[in-house]
Amino acid sequence: MQKKKKKAVWLGIAALMLLAACSNGNTGGEKSAEGNAGETGGNEPAKPAKLELNWSVANNMLANVTLPSADQDFVKRAIEEKFNVDLKIDYMVFGEEYHAKLNAALAGGSAPDLFIAGGAESQKYIDDGIAANLSAFFTETTLPHYFKWVSKQELDAYQLKQGEFTRAILPFQRNTYASWYIRQDWLDKLQLKPPTNYEELTNVLTQFTKGDPDGNGKADTYGFTAAGNGLSLPFDFPQWLNNGFVADFMIVDDAYVDNRTDLKVEGVLDQVVDWIDKGIVDPDWFLNKPPAHHDKAAQGKVGMIFSPGDKTVALDSVATSVQNRAKALDPNADWKPIYPLDKPIMWKYNVPESSILVSTAAAEKQPEKVKRSLEIVDWLTSEEGFLLTHYGQEGKHYTKDGNKVTLNVEAFEADIAKAGNWLNVYGVFTPDEPQVLGMELIDSRISEHDRAILKTIEGFPKHNALPPVSLVPPEGINIGDFRKEMSKFHVKAILDDKSGKNWPQYREELMTKYKGRDIFTEYTKQLNAVLKDKQLRAFE
């Protein structure tokens, strides 16, 4: 009887074990396909299958940046271990070359799983069906950290069509650090005062060209340079602002003004031609590709440049700044920010311009790749991801006490700054603004000199480019194609006509043949749909 009872107990235990095995999906004692969950008793979550991810990212801060070897890339290692992926990330400076490479990948059937594009380019990818509908993937629930940087209202306004979600805003820096920079030591050597209006500026740049400011006895310096990228007349030229044009568009006298196609652009073109005729502009300005113009500044070849957003140009605390590179060649070099015009507004506060996109192919064929990619994006925008991608490893490159983050300068310089600031590759997903996450950075490298420069740049007068709406051309019209034709006319006027006299007829062709009037009439309608206090009059 006792033996029968023991046998019954063992049979019961065996049955329970069998049931447990079946409930774990393991009926034959084999390892579970989902990370050996059977071996851990099912208490730990199943580890997701490993994925290969390919990203393409761009940012103006990626010039001269090279990722370190895999054993030194602690960000890549953290991402791959945390999310069980093999991550390949292509990175370049924003511009024609980046988008050409991206277009080739998209056309060749090797679309990245996630990529960054400019505003005009993202519209084309969406119109062509290359960019996927993100509504199933991108929500406040799935990306809670991301929404600390970008509001849902901004995201909704950024879409090309109401009720459609095809592009996410790349988190962006709200304040702007646009500034011209000038060689203060050249001003001092030539006994010149900092210019405060266009006439004074033209005279100073003439002296920089003809007065031998570097003292080498050669006529080998120019007053000014820019980066036209072989395509356009950039906002680097102060002639835009001198004619009243602040950045790309404005609302003036209750009307939408497209700054680069306004009739008054004739004055911009004439003044640029005048500078070129005077010989004070670097002859390579049109063919320069970023950061070639800043490289020339660092090499002592020019006396003034423009930066639309890089606040580090003249900082002593950044090893790769124009200031430090210039001082390596000339210890007297002294680059200073300057507002050389007598205009009330210099620039505008930032609006979203770059998009995070996902390819339709990835979304349809491998949605798990999309989901995993966006999980990584959310982590990159979290406190943990932000700290790692901006300041390095805790305990080694920085320490944290409450909300104060103190940089270990020696380690940070050795492993990151002097290694090419490679964290910028991963930092493209968040601007360097720890205050967004309630943190304060303590960086002993930032001297009183640098603080004064940053304060100066931040204090330049700006306007809000409101309302926060994504302006979308009418159906079937691509704004990138229009801007390309616009730039061709700018270049034709400067390099061929050597005058702005033909601009009115070029503008009329843009407004008619290339649908500019249709585009800006539609923009006006969209602005009126969100303006509360007043309505804009029809575009002329």
Side-chain angles (χ1 to χ4, degrees):
M1 186 68 178
Q2 192 68 24
K3 287 182 179 181
K4 288 183 180 180
K5 284 184 180 180
K6 286 183 178 180
K7 185 176 181 181
V9 169
W10 281 112
L11 285 172
I13 292 173
L16 288 172
M17 291 175 67
L18 180 61
L19 284 172
C22 290
S23 67
N24 283 328
N26 184 357
T27 59
E30 297 177 357
K31 292 182 179 179
S32 165
E34 295 293 335
N36 302 336
E39 292 184 358
T40 63
N43 293 325
E44 295 181 8
K47 193 174 184 179
K50 193 166 192 175
L51 296 176
E52 291 185 4
L53 299 180
N54 291 286
W55 291 7
S56 287
V57 304
N59 186 284
N60 289 332
M61 300 288 287
L62 295 181
N64 303 317
V65 170
T66 302
L67 283 174
S69 59
D71 62 314
Q72 298 296 315
D73 191 341
F74 51 77
V75 178
K76 178 181 172 70
R77 188 165 62 247
I79 291 172
E80 292 186 337
E81 291 176 359
K82 187 176 184 68
F83 295 96
N84 199 27
V85 297
D86 284 325
L87 177 64
K88 179 186 177 185
I89 186 163
D90 288 328
Y91 55 94
M92 291 178 68
V93 174
F94 250 131
E96 190 77 9
E97 190 175 348
Y98 168 73
H99 283 106
K101 183 177 180 181
L102 180 58
N103 290 340
L106 294 168
S110 55
D113 301 304
L114 180 142
F115 54 100
I116 292 172
E121 291 80 9
S122 68
Q123 181 197 347
K124 182 166 179 58
Y125 296 142
I126 291 166
D127 288 345
D128 292 347
I130 293 170
N133 183 339
L134 293 173
S135 55
F137 303 98
F138 213 107
T139 69
E140 290 177 280
T141 301
T142 57
L143 285 92
H145 298 107
Y146 169 88
F147 282 91
K148 294 177 181 177
W149 298 87
V150 177
S151 72
K152 187 176 184 304
Q153 291 73 23
E154 288 173 323
L155 207 56
D156 290 343
Y158 192 64
Q159 302 314 309
L160 297 178
K161 297 178 182 177
Q162 285 190 341
E164 181 182 85
F165 181 19
T166 46
R167 61 179 185 174
I169 294 171
L170 183 69
F172 62 101
Q173 183 176 274
R174 304 305 172 122
N175 198 357
T176 53
Y177 299 91
S179 179
W180 283 278
Y181 291 84
I182 199 164
R183 280 289 293 260
Q184 179 65 47
D185 57 309
W186 286 10
L187 288 172
D188 295 341
K189 182 169 183 177
L190 298 174
Q191 297 183 339
L192 298 169
K193 293 181 179 180
T196 59
N197 58 50
Y198 187 74
E199 184 179 355
E200 292 176 1
L201 176 60
T202 301
N203 176 61
V204 163
L205 299 186
T206 301
Q207 295 303 311
F208 280 1
T209 304
K210 300 179 179 180
D212 191 23
D214 59 358
N216 68 355
K218 301 177 182 179
D220 58 357
T221 57
Y222 291 96
F224 177 73
T225 193
N229 212 19
L231 297 168
S232 65
L233 177 68
F235 281 120
D236 299 39
F237 280 87
Q239 284 83 355
W240 289 104
L241 182 58
N242 192 52
N243 282 269
F245 298 122
V246 180
D248 47 5
F249 79 90
M250 299 183 297
I251 296 174
V252 180
D253 296 331
D254 296 339
Y256 173 88
V257 176
D258 186 70
N259 290 343
R260 289 172 287 177
T261 59
D262 191 78
L263 273 172
K264 292 190 295 183
V265 168
E266 180 177 348
V268 176
L269 300 171
D270 280 336
Q271 290 180 351
V272 170
V273 169
D274 177 61
W275 271 20
I276 292 173
D277 288 345
K278 283 181 166 63
I280 63 179
V281 180
D282 165 30
D284 296 331
W285 74 267
F286 179 61
L287 295 178
N288 284 339
K289 295 182 179 181
H293 55 322
H294 284 198
D295 290 342
K296 290 192 173 192
Q299 294 159 7
K301 296 179 179 180
V302 295
M304 193 176 86
I305 54 172
F306 180 75
S307 173
D310 180 5
K311 61 185 177 181
T312 72
V313 168
L315 299 187
D316 289 332
S317 58
V318 177
T320 55
S321 70
V322 170
Q323 169 77 355
N324 276 322
R325 289 192 288 149
K327 286 178 78 69
L329 298 175
D330 179 359
N332 296 317
D334 186 15
W335 283 95
K336 290 283 179 65
I338 188 171
Y339 184 24
L341 300 173
D342 54 353
K343 303 300 175 183
I345 299 295
M346 176 178 167
W347 206 244
K348 65 178 184 180
Y349 288 103
N350 280 330
V351 294
E353 293 180 346
S354 300
S355 307
I356 300 173
L357 302 173
V358 166
S359 71
T360 301
E364 292 178 351
K365 297 177 182 178
Q366 294 179 300
E368 184 56 35
K369 283 193 172 187
V370 178
K371 182 174 178 290
R372 197 84 56 90
S373 289
L374 293 178
E375 286 174 356
I376 297 170
V377 169
D378 190 58
W379 176 78
L380 289 168
T381 60
S382 71
E383 181 177 305
E384 180 184 3
F386 174 85
L387 289 170
L388 189 67
T389 58
H390 286 270
Y391 311 130
Q393 296 170 300
E394 185 172 7
K396 182 177 183 181
H397 301 113
Y398 74 89
T399 57
K400 188 171 183 293
D401 182 13
N403 69 334
K404 295 186 184 298
V405 178
T406 302
L407 210 61
N408 181 343
V409 171
E410 185 176 348
F412 185 88
E413 285 283 322
D415 297 345
I416 297 161
K418 291 181 179 178
N421 277 320
W422 60 270
L423 284 184
N424 288 348
V425 173
Y426 302 101
V428 300
F429 290 92
T430 48
D432 191 8
E433 294 186 327
Q435 64 271 23
V436 173
L437 298 176
M439 295 183 292
E440 176 188 354
L441 177 65
I442 300 171
D443 184 351
S444 61
R445 297 173 305 171
I446 301 178
S447 62
E448 288 303 316
H449 165 270
D450 286 3
R451 287 192 182 91
I453 285 178
L454 293 172
K455 186 175 181 180
T456 297
I457 301 168
E458 290 173 0
F460 287 145
K462 309 175 186 79
H463 76 78
N464 280 313
L466 297 174
V469 60
S470 178
L471 298 175
V472 183
E475 188 83 27
I477 298 178
N478 185 275
I479 190 61
D481 295 337
F482 173 81
R483 294 297 182 197
K484 188 178 294 185
E485 298 302 325
M486 173 200 76
S487 292
K488 287 179 182 177
F489 281 129
H490 289 162
V491 173
K492 180 177 173 61
I494 293 169
L495 301 184
D496 295 340
D497 303 342
K498 301 186 186 307
S499 167
K501 65 182 180 181
N502 292 324
W503 175 250
Q505 70 186 60
Y506 295 159
R507 181 186 186 272
E508 187 58 26
E509 190 170 348
L510 286 169
M511 292 300 115
T512 53
K513 180 179 178 180
Y514 296 106
K515 309 295 184 182
R517 190 164 284 109
D518 293 343
I519 292 171
F520 303 133
T521 296
E522 178 63 23
Y523 283 4
T524 301
K525 290 179 182 176
Q526 292 170 21
L527 288 166
N528 280 333
V530 296
L531 286 171
K532 297 179 180 179
D533 300 330
K534 57 186 176 183
Q535 294 289 285
L536 305 182
R537 50 189 170 83
F539 179 80
E540 299 176 0

